[in-house]
Structure formats: structure tokens, C-alpha cells
Amino acid sequence: MMTLAESLASSERIVFLTGAGVSVPSGIPDYRSKNGLYTGRENPEYLLSATCLRNEPDKFYAFVRDNMYYPDAEPNAIHEKMAEIERRAGKKVTVVTQNIDGLHEKAGSRNVVEFHGSLYRCHCQKCGMTVRSEQYLESDKHENCGGIIRPEVVLYEENLPEEAINGALAAITKADLIVIVGTSFKVSPFCNLTDYRKSGSTVFAVNQELLRLPFQYTMIQDDAVSIFKEL
């Protein structure tokens, strides 16, 4: 059986499926671990719901502003190595990420499907105007029309953008190699993407927590930063 490095070298079409664990080494907390964003909070899913944004926008804004933005965070070895692999001649690489922090793009990855959107794209819900995230962090009220600004992330109760689903499936269905990194791979529909892999594709999972997937794959239960540094 080939190693991850050998599979990356021999594959022409590669998809990385990444989750919160990829950004933890950059200082961005995940959601449900012991020190995660949800720890010690009552009903955190509500605070990130469409209902909260609609009915209690001040509460939604305070939670997002104070707990989710890390504009000074820098890509780590995982982001950087994925971007490097994409730059290699003849490689078609797509990153499909659950993360909303923009670090894959910051590292230089060009072909990124942001499955749950991005904190760094914002717009006014009243007039539709695009708003810089820096402006949103100063106020959620649009200075032009007084409308409520929101980041373009998928909230609880909202549907995924069709563009994100189509982009992810287009990459998955053609991939020779799929590498799952830094995710428990339990959140649907992200965890269902591998159902659409083509016959004969190879799947690796790199994660500190053991994944149990209903198909043949190679599990690397280790620190992803160490694994990617060695590639």
C-alpha cells in the first residue's frame, strides 16, 4: 500500500477535505473540543442561527465579533503544504473546507471551495452592498442605509450555497486521491461528500481522533502539522 506522500506524488487530481482541526495550530479554536468555542456556553447553536440574527441581531453580533474573528492568524504547515502541492505542475488540487477563516487562501491555495462560507465576506442585508470585514468588526449597522450587516457564512437553519455543493461534487467525482484532514467528519452534508467519489479513488484520513468510515481508507492517527511538515 502506498504512503500518503507516494499517493500525492502519483495522483493527478487531489481533493483535501479540511475541518476545524487544520486551523487550531494557527490559534483558532475549534467548536466542540474541551477548549472549543462552544465550551461553557448555553445553547451556542442558537447564537449562530438565522433566528438569532433575525430576532436578536445585537446578541448574534456580539458573539461573532468577540469569539470568531482572528484576523492576525497565519497559515500553518498544513495550509502551506496544501498550497505548495497545488502549485506543482500537472496537479489539479481542490481544497473543500468547512473552515470560515480564509487561511487556505491566505496560504496561496487558489482552488478553494468554502463549504460554509467566509467571515471575511460581508454584506448589508438591507441594501445588499458588500462591506469589508474590518468595517463589520467596528459596527454591524451599515453606515449608508442603517441595515444590519452579516458575514457570508452558513448559519444554523440555513441551506448551503448551491455553488459550494456543486464545486465540491465536481472535484470529488473526478478525484484520484481524497485526503480528509482535521475533522471528525460527522457533520452532514460535508461527511457525505465521499459518497460521490469515483470508483478506484484512494482515501486517506489524517486526524488525531480515530475516524470510522464505511469504506476502504487509510487512517493516519497523528498530529496533522507533523505529517504535513514531513511531506
Side-chain angles (χ1 to χ4, degrees):
M1 183 177 292
M2 285 197 291
T3 65
L4 176 58
E6 291 168 338
S7 293
L8 288 167
S10 63
S11 300
E12 294 301 316
R13 291 181 174 268
I14 301 164
V15 172
F16 293 107
L17 299 175
T18 70
V22 166
S23 293
V24 169
S26 293
I28 299 176
D30 62 9
Y31 291 85
R32 292 183 170 84
S33 71
K34 185 173 69 172
N35 298 313
L37 181 66
Y38 290 176
T39 301
R41 300 185 188 278
E42 185 178 346
N43 201 8
E45 288 89 350
Y46 171 73
L47 295 172
L48 290 175
S49 70
T51 297
C52 185
L53 174 61
R54 181 175 61 252
N55 295 340
E56 300 184 88
D58 291 344
K59 182 177 285 190
F60 173 87
Y61 176 60
F63 180 73
V64 171
R65 179 197 61 201
D66 296 343
N67 297 284
M68 300 191 70
Y69 277 91
Y70 291 82
D72 297 327
E74 293 295 331
N76 59 60
I78 308 169
H79 302 102
E80 291 167 352
K81 188 66 68 170
M82 289 178 184
E84 179 187 327
I85 293 168
E86 184 182 350
R87 287 194 295 270
R88 294 178 187 170
K91 298 287 184 186
K92 176 66 175 176
V93 176
T94 303
V95 177
V96 183
T97 186
Q98 293 174 287
N99 298 335
I100 55 179
D101 51 44
L103 289 183
H104 282 295
E105 292 90 337
K106 200 170 185 179
S109 289
R110 297 182 297 275
N111 196 18
V112 180
V113 177
E114 292 175 315
F115 210 64
H116 293 150
S118 173
L119 287 166
Y120 295 93
R121 292 193 305 273
C122 304
H123 71 271
C124 173
Q125 297 180 97
K126 185 176 180 181
C127 70
M129 184 179 291
T130 298
V131 179
R132 293 182 302 111
S133 59
E134 294 88 348
Q135 184 179 340
Y136 177 61
L137 287 171
E138 292 177 3
S139 173
D140 69 335
K141 309 295 190 299
H142 194 203
E143 58 185 12
N144 286 16
C145 70
I148 299 294
I149 302 167
R150 66 161 291 174
E152 294 180 10
V153 296
V154 180
L155 304 176
Y156 289 104
E157 305 165 349
E158 291 184 331
N159 294 323
L160 290 168
E162 192 172 324
E163 180 183 350
I165 295 173
N166 291 340
L169 291 177
I172 285 283
T173 54
K174 298 172 184 173
D176 308 310
L177 173 64
I178 299 168
V179 188
I180 303 164
V181 189
T183 170
S184 62
F185 213 57
K186 293 176 181 176
V187 176
S188 180
F190 188 77
C191 66
N192 305 121
L193 289 174
T194 47
D195 294 346
Y196 298 91
R197 69 196 186 282
K198 72 177 184 179
S199 176
S201 62
T202 300
V203 181
F204 278 81
V206 184
N207 199 52
Q208 287 189 321
E209 175 189 341
L210 178 66
L211 304 188
R212 301 189 185 279
L213 307 179
F215 50 80
Q216 185 174 347
Y217 70 106
T218 300
M219 181 74 217
I220 302 175
Q221 191 173 359
D222 205 339
D223 173 53
V225 169
S226 301
I227 296 299
F228 276 79
K229 276 183 177 178
E230 294 171 2
L231 290 176

